Amino acid sequence: MLTHVVLMKFADPADAPTAKALLEGLTGRVGQIRGMTVGLDVVRSDVSYDLCLVTTHASVEELRGYQDHPAHREVASWLRPRLAARAVVDHEG
């Protein structure tokens, strides 16, 4: 199993709830998603990111299929111009 973790910091943190809803809307639409959790930061410290996305996939190929899926690309095109920073970790386990 491959776990895909993305931390997002928005130029305007008010965009985070909309991003959460858009990302959660991918479940059921993108078959390569085996599991998904989307959380919003509640502490808002100086080092906090606004949103954490965790998805699970059966393989690296499935992760790539998720990333290339038209529904994911549509959400990503909404996200990208609003992001101030992003960090990604993909790990097995």
Side-chain angles (χ1 to χ4, degrees), residues 31-49:
Q32 295 91 342
I33 299 172
R34 303 298 173 154
M36 176 186 283
T37 303
V38 185
L40 299 176
D41 181 61
V42 296
V43 175
R44 300 208 179 262
S45 75
D46 290 341
V47 297
S48 293
Y49 277 60

Side-chain angles (χ1 to χ4, degrees), residues 8-64:
M8 299 179 202
K9 184 179 287 280
F10 291 89
D12 179 355
D15 286 331
T18 301
K20 181 180 190 299
L22 290 171
L23 289 163
E24 288 174 335
L26 295 175
T27 302
R29 293 178 61 201
V30 180
Q32 295 91 342
I33 299 172
R34 303 298 173 154
M36 176 186 283
T37 303
V38 185
L40 299 176
D41 181 61
V42 296
V43 175
R44 300 208 179 262
S45 75
D46 290 341
V47 297
S48 293
Y49 277 60
D50 301 308
L51 181 147
C52 178
L53 166 69
V54 179
T55 59
T56 53
H57 309 274
S59 64
V60 172
E61 292 75 27
E62 269 203 1
L63 171 62
R64 289 186 181 129

